[in-house]
Amino acid sequence: MIITRSWLQEWIDISQISTENIIQSLNSIGLEVSNHYKIVLPEKVVVGYIKTKSKHENSDHLSVCEVDVGSEILQIVCGAQNVAVGQYVCVSLIGARIGDITIKKSRLRGVDSNGMICSAKELGIGDLNDGILVLDDSIGDIVLGKELREYTLLNDEIIEVDLTPNRGDCLSVYGIARDLAAYFDLLPKLPMYEEKDNLLGIGRIVSIHSIQQKSCAFQYRAFEITNKSTIQLDLLRRLRIYFAQLTKKIKLDEILAYCTYSTGVLLRAYDFKKICPSCVKIVIDIKEEESGNYGVYVEDKRLSLAGIIQEKAQVDDETQIVLIEANYTSPHLIAKAVGSNKELVGDTHVYNAIRGSEPDLNVGGDFLFSILSKFSGLNLYAGFQQILPNRDKKVINFSINSISNMVGRDLINNDIVKILKKLNFEVDVREELISIKIPFYRHDIENSHDICEEIVRMIGIDNIPSKPLKFRESNNICEQYFEYKNKKHIRLNSVANGFFECLHYVFDSKDELLSLGFKECRKRIINPINSELNMLRPTLFNHILKSCERNTKNSKKAIKLFEIGSVFDEFGKEKQRLAFLASGLKNESSLQYGSKPEMVDFINFASLIQNIIGNFNCVPTKTIVFLNPFEQAFIEINGEKVGYIGRLDLNIERKLKLFKTYFCEVDFDKLKFNEKVAYPYSKFQSTTRDLSFLVPDNLKFKAIKDAISGLKIDELKDFRLVDIYGDDSIKGFKSYMIKFVFQSHEKTLEDNDLVCFIDKIIMVLKNDLDIGLR
Amino acid sequence: MDDLKSNISQIQTLEELEKIRIKYLGKNGIISNGFLKLKDLNGEEKKHLAQELNTQREYLNDLISKKKDELENKKIEQRMQSEAIDVTLFNEYITTGALHPVMHTMDRIIDYFVAQNFSVKSGPLIEQDFYNFEALNLPQFHPARDMQDTFYFDDMELLRTHTSPVQIRTMLSQKPPIRMIAPGAVFRRDFDLTHTPMFHQIEGLVVEEGDCVSFANLKHILQDFLKFMFGDVKIRFRPSFFPFTEPSAEVDISCMFCGGHGCRVCSQTGWLEVLGSGIVDPNVFKAVGYKDVSGYAFGLGVERFAMLIHKIPDLRSLFEGDIRLLEQFK
């Protein structure tokens, strides 16, 4: 809602209240002010009167005007099409600053010009109309030569209020004024409309017929247009229409929109002749539709659905007799209709109706007719025809005590009663119990919590104390907290190992995922945000790969990323995954790593992952289609597959212009986070021996590992491959240097003990795998 | 003897010193040879020479060992000097990675509430209408549903639009007292400069039997929490509307970018909205079958907190894994 100070002033007397105070008060009663500013017209711009206008002799589009600015008559050249003799206009005198320009004496195509006649846009008011701004007395008495910045109505203050969806009653200037009035203890000003005596009664052309119902109110009025050129809103109102963006193609529609915006009453205009070209009088029939909504019928022809849509007999510029309908429909009926027809959502009429429009139809009708009565070319009909719903005001009972407890502060009976009365609730007090009747326009009030909210916003949250709540429960550490802690543990480990945490959307591109060999998720998003994000992701791979690509394009040489997030299987079941990607250099070049650091490799990448998730084995596989088939493995912990690791398929690396890139994805739920258990360790010295074996190229190291482990030598504490060597002299073979660590729990091992163990190892490798020492 | 003393004092190397030592104190050294003469002497004379030789030997020993210490110290000194490094060569990158600022902010928020004995709860991202809307007093066709544009699946399940369904799940699975937060990803169909289709929220809920939970309690914890997160800022509560709380309030902090004078970030208002909160609406309790309880709830956007605290200008950059941003949080 955009309102202006002068507009608000029309509905509540705020002349003694500063704008700052109004804004603060609106915020404190729950009508959030999201923006506000003041229009300040430039200095040396004054009221002028166009005395004469003649055509510029050297130009088709320029006019030369004599303009009376009170103290003198100035010759000014003007290019606007709408300039005319008899207009009061805004004249920038010599020396005025308009935007970035200072007005100077000038010659335009040979004619002297001593100032400028301004448009609203040039004055900083806004793009109100084509051509110059023409003044009228709606902004105050027109005094020639008076500075325009002295007209307060022209230098208005604009206040933008963000309304919450429950406050349909404040979707009008009147509504906001009414709420502010309660806060400031003032009375809102209602429109005054007094009918003239000699008007024709509306009963001559319209009567109304309806069933008894509880949800709708209709009121009909009418007028006849005899001279449409007199229907012209004054400058002040046109300014407001511009600020509130109510501009409409058809003038009558614009006036109605202005009245609805001012009063909150939903108004519609019908062209009487279009309803029934031959009728002198029509009978309006209000009928309940199957949907529960109410239709407006004439001779079984539906003209409109109340609060939703006008289907027939719209007014146009040729309309002569206009039938005005003011309507209120219970918001929940509108909500149902909108629920089944989403196209209605954007309509402003529906927007107001669904949030609850003003049920006091008289306010709207009177306001409209008070404006229309000022136009000379109209004949208004006297009175109105209306039907009102048969309903009682809602009653809510509550105790002062319950409100005090909810607020957390002792409240006094009288204070509460006073606040509720100011808000137009009818209050009945019986000792501790209060019974109130809710005004029809407050659709949002349904229970004692709503009443509490009214109290809270009127006394102000600032006046509520701040009190700690006492503990009553035992400790709250739960399973999900441990899951969070475990994730945090993994995240911190990842960071310590050089990986950057990233976040990506859980949606991903279906086409790309299918091309990576993933199956389509059967849980389909029916309204994806775009075709790039149209499927729940089955993997963290694709997004992280794209982030890698972006970073590569940004000239990053060492890229290490990780993510913990949700993925979804083919059936839409959610799982937690952990993914790592390392691309390019192991480290950025520096004194420590040299000017040309090494590229990341499988062993290096896997060992970083192991630092993070704990010990694992690599089990060779070729099943991950987007990884290089000759450099990929399942990650196995305690015999369970928990994820996979490997280098990207080289086609992907090449296509995306990536450096050497490794990826790993792990099922988070399969990781274990048990507390470590210490085992007894020997107090005797350990001894190491390095042995080199000649191993055929096609033998996997795992075979050697299994053979040695199979010996179950208790004293063999550890053995690890520490070097691989190969040259032409040992073609078809590689030399593996393995470091063995021996240690006994009983004694310091002696040479002959060691010889015995090493012989066993050499024997088993010879016998089982036919490999020997180099 | 005095000559010898000045001789030793002029020696520059350990090798020369060793030569002198051998010359005088070695097996065939001058002193040792002196002792050999003793066997040819008797009585007082012998005694006298022996004394003299012993004194000389001790004197020499002392002289040489002092000189040796001196020379060794000098040698180490020289070695240290020759091995000196330019400590200003230290100019390395930090080689760790960094936590994502949004996740780090989430960690800090969780830290606060865990210290207040809140439990940490989670729930599924794919939700049913009942948990996401219906039970939260957002019946079908309610205009407040417009506030949250929703992603739907063809079976009419949806991606949760807030973390509030975790409230409902928790209340349905346990009895009061409840003191919980629910951190996690949420989804809305909105994608522009200031909206991403996925972002993160933290939801808080406190429920107790009877009517002991008040708005004053809510005010207390949120004030304390915001001071913990943002430091010394002013805090303002504004009445507002959420379907699942009544009375409701939005909470603003004074703008840290302009000190509350008004700037572009705070739309000239001097205030930044950071939280939504309120007393739990009785319809929510009704939906989960709770009777005679009271409670408060609140919710916040983690991205917004992270962007304000770390002065990150662009929301969308948070989802692009861009190291240029992330490496600033090392």
Side-chain angles (χ1 to χ4, degrees), chain A residues 198-216:
Chain A
N198 53 353
L199 303 182
L200 291 175
I202 190 167
R204 285 173 180 247
I205 61 165
V206 179
S207 66
I208 185 166
H209 172 262
S210 166
I211 49 162
Q212 285 271 335
Q213 43 78 30
K214 292 183 170 182
S215 308
C216 289

Side-chain angles (χ1 to χ4, degrees), chain B residues 78-328:
Chain B
Q78 277 167 353
R79 187 174 145 209
M80 288 198 296
Q81 255 181 43
S82 68
E83 288 176 3
I85 62 157
D86 173 6
V87 292
T88 65
L89 286 176
F90 176 68
N91 191 25
E92 294 294 291
Y93 299 104
I94 290 179
T95 54
T96 64
L99 292 177
H100 193 282
V102 170
M103 300 308 282
H104 169 67
T105 304
M106 191 118 107
D107 291 339
R108 283 185 63 209
I109 298 171
I110 291 171
D111 281 348
Y112 173 84
F113 286 106
V114 166
Q116 308 290 329
N117 203 29
F118 278 67
S119 65
V120 180
K121 298 283 185 183
S122 57
L125 305 187
I126 298 177
E127 267 295 1
Q128 293 157 23
D129 191 276
F130 174 77
Y131 295 104
N132 195 73
F133 289 126
E134 194 90 38
L136 289 158
N137 198 27
L138 273 151
Q140 248 189 326
F141 312 136
H142 193 283
R145 283 199 183 192
D146 291 358
M147 293 158 88
Q148 309 177 354
D149 210 347
T150 313
F151 287 106
Y152 283 99
F153 296 102
D154 38 14
D155 57 3
M156 288 321 281
E157 288 197 325
L158 46 87
L159 281 169
R160 65 180 184 191
T161 57
H162 43 197
T163 39
S164 313
V166 186
Q167 280 189 16
I168 302 299
R169 289 178 176 277
T170 305
M171 286 194 280
L172 285 172
S173 68
Q174 72 182 77
K175 289 204 165 70
I178 288 176
R179 205 184 270 246
M180 59 155 276
I181 53 168
V186 300
F187 307 87
R188 297 193 192 166
R189 241 184 129 267
D190 226 342
F191 204 5
D192 57 34
L193 270 180
T194 54
H195 298 90
T196 47
M198 174 173 118
F199 57 100
H200 296 80
Q201 279 191 340
I202 289 188
E203 180 89 5
L205 173 72
V206 166
V207 185
E208 299 238 356
E209 277 169 349
D211 56 5
C212 56
V213 181
S214 69
F215 202 91
N217 300 145
L218 173 65
K219 205 175 153 179
H220 178 265
I221 192 150
L222 292 183
Q223 280 178 336
D224 193 48
F225 165 62
L226 290 173
K227 298 260 182 208
F228 171 82
M229 291 302 292
F230 293 101
D232 190 20
V233 288
K234 272 187 255 162
I235 294 162
R236 171 175 92 167
F237 285 74
R238 248 181 321 102
S240 186
F241 167 77
F242 304 103
F244 25 88
T245 52
E246 185 91 58
S248 306
E250 282 182 319
V251 189
D252 303 337
I253 55 169
S254 53
C255 178
M256 59 259 278
F257 295 87
C258 60
H261 301 298
C263 67
R264 203 179 48 82
V265 182
C266 60
S267 307
Q268 309 302 329
T269 60
W271 295 95
L272 297 164
E273 184 189 319
V274 291
L275 264 170
S277 64
I279 295 294
V280 180
D281 194 287
N283 287 332
V284 175
F285 287 141
K286 212 158 104 191
V288 296
Y290 276 14
K291 278 189 191 129
D292 298 325
V293 294
S294 57
Y296 65 68
F298 56 85
L300 62 93
V302 185
E303 276 79 0
R304 178 151 176 85
F305 270 55
M307 289 173 76
L308 291 174
I309 291 167
H310 300 292
K311 298 194 160 68
I312 299 169
D314 177 13
L315 171 68
R316 291 188 296 186
S317 69
L318 294 171
F319 296 90
E320 289 171 352
D322 191 333
I323 296 179
R324 293 173 301 180
L325 174 74
L326 298 174
E327 68 188 353
Q328 300 177 38

